[in-house]
Amino acid sequence: MASSPSRLSREYVENGTIRKETRPTKEYCTEIIIVRHGETDWNALHKMQVAERLAREPKISAIYSSDLKRALETAQTIASKCFGLEVVIDKDLRERHIGDLQGLVFSEASKINPIAFEALMSNSEHQQIPGGGESRNQLFERCTSSLQRIAKKNKGARVVVVTHGAVIEMLYKRAIRGGKAGGVWNTSISIFELSDGDKWCIKLWNDISHLKESEYLESASGGSAST
């Protein structure tokens, strides 16, 4: 079950430490709005809601997305509302590759391939999954390097990144050393600020205030298991 969305409105987290102030984005910083993709069974309404919210934000310079369909469709919906921006595809924003478990329903995976499932559930950060699946460390290095590249290319700007649950949890782990994200809502918005000196802070985390229809909140919850 995902954790409740929360704002960091009077504090920010930098390299694992909570600071008691907020900072505007400066020319040496990049503000990155992280969006978890929408699910296919309720995408029309909720993708549009997140797109309309971001269209009202201060100018967005670029939109990046995983190349996987569920993320790319969400990114394209956002792009259509943000002054005709083109979506830049970055394969390093993909969800974790889970090897022989790819395409299986989570509840059935342990029966179909118990060895691969055991590897998936392992507490080891270095445990890879049979069939070419990534370890948590490999995922961490891939997606944090991607965000660092995006920040370097867009200094002083605000950009959107649409990606997946496990990826966002790893980005949280990079910003808050030793922290656990506790689940990420579909079409949630989190705002990261990356600055010179390899500094990361979180200005907003897992916010879903744009999802006004309360009856959809339960279906919006999720985590890395639902990608």
Side-chain angles (χ1 to χ4, degrees):
M1 181 67 180
S3 59
S4 299
S6 61
R7 292 179 178 274
L8 298 180
S9 56
R10 295 186 179 179
E11 59 191 26
Y12 66 93
V13 182
E14 181 180 275
N15 293 343
T17 302
I18 297 178
R19 310 293 186 185
K20 292 295 184 179
E21 59 179 295
T22 56
R23 302 179 303 171
T25 301
K26 300 183 176 70
E27 61 183 17
Y28 58 83
C29 300
T30 308
E31 189 172 270
I32 303 180
I33 303 169
I34 309 290
V35 179
R36 187 184 176 196
H37 64 82
E39 293 292 352
T40 56
D41 57 349
W42 50 276
N43 60 4
L45 174 61
H46 293 83
K47 288 179 183 178
M48 189 59 66
Q49 284 176 314
V50 71
E52 290 175 349
R53 171 176 174 175
L54 294 179
R56 295 192 296 269
E57 296 286 335
K59 184 178 179 181
I60 293 170
S61 299
I63 300 175
Y64 292 81
S65 176
S66 157
D67 64 328
L68 299 183
K69 183 179 179 181
R70 54 193 181 275
L72 186 55
E73 287 183 348
T74 301
Q76 290 169 337
T77 302
I78 295 169
S80 69
K81 289 285 185 177
C82 293
F83 312 107
L85 290 174
E86 295 291 330
V87 176
V88 180
I89 294 174
D90 187 340
K91 292 183 178 181
D92 283 341
L93 295 171
R94 278 186 174 190
E95 184 58 286
R96 180 185 181 186
H97 193 289
I98 54 176
D100 290 339
L101 300 176
Q102 291 287 127
L104 298 183
V105 177
F106 184 80
S107 60
E108 300 174 357
S110 61
K111 298 177 182 178
I112 296 174
N113 196 324
I115 294 176
F117 186 79
E118 183 179 356
L120 174 67
M121 303 306 292
S122 170
N123 290 326
S124 171
E125 298 296 313
H126 301 281
Q127 177 64 61
Q128 297 182 30
I129 302 170
E134 294 175 290
S135 68
R136 291 188 181 91
N137 274 350
Q138 288 173 323
L139 172 63
F140 180 90
E141 292 299 326
R142 168 166 64 82
C143 64
T144 57
S145 295
S146 172
L147 208 69
Q148 199 74 54
R149 289 196 306 271
I150 291 170
K152 186 175 181 179
K153 188 174 182 179
N154 295 276
K155 284 185 179 181
R158 304 177 77 248
V159 302
V160 171
V161 166
V162 183
T163 185
H164 308 267
V167 170
I168 299 173
E169 290 177 4
M170 289 297 171
L171 299 178
Y172 181 97
K173 183 178 178 181
R174 169 61 181 82
I176 306 179
R177 299 293 188 178
K180 295 188 70 173
V184 183
W185 295 84
N186 289 312
T187 67
S188 64
I189 290 175
S190 299
I191 300 178
F192 286 60
E193 188 174 87
L194 277 63
S195 58
D196 287 344
D198 200 28
K199 295 179 180 179
W200 292 43
C201 71
I202 299 176
K203 301 173 69 176
L204 180 70
W205 174 249
N206 202 24
D207 184 69
I208 52 170
S209 59
H210 49 284
L211 301 185
K212 298 178 181 179
E213 290 76 16
S214 60
E215 64 268 26
Y216 287 98
L217 293 183
E218 182 63 28
S219 65
S221 66
S224 58
S226 49
T227 66

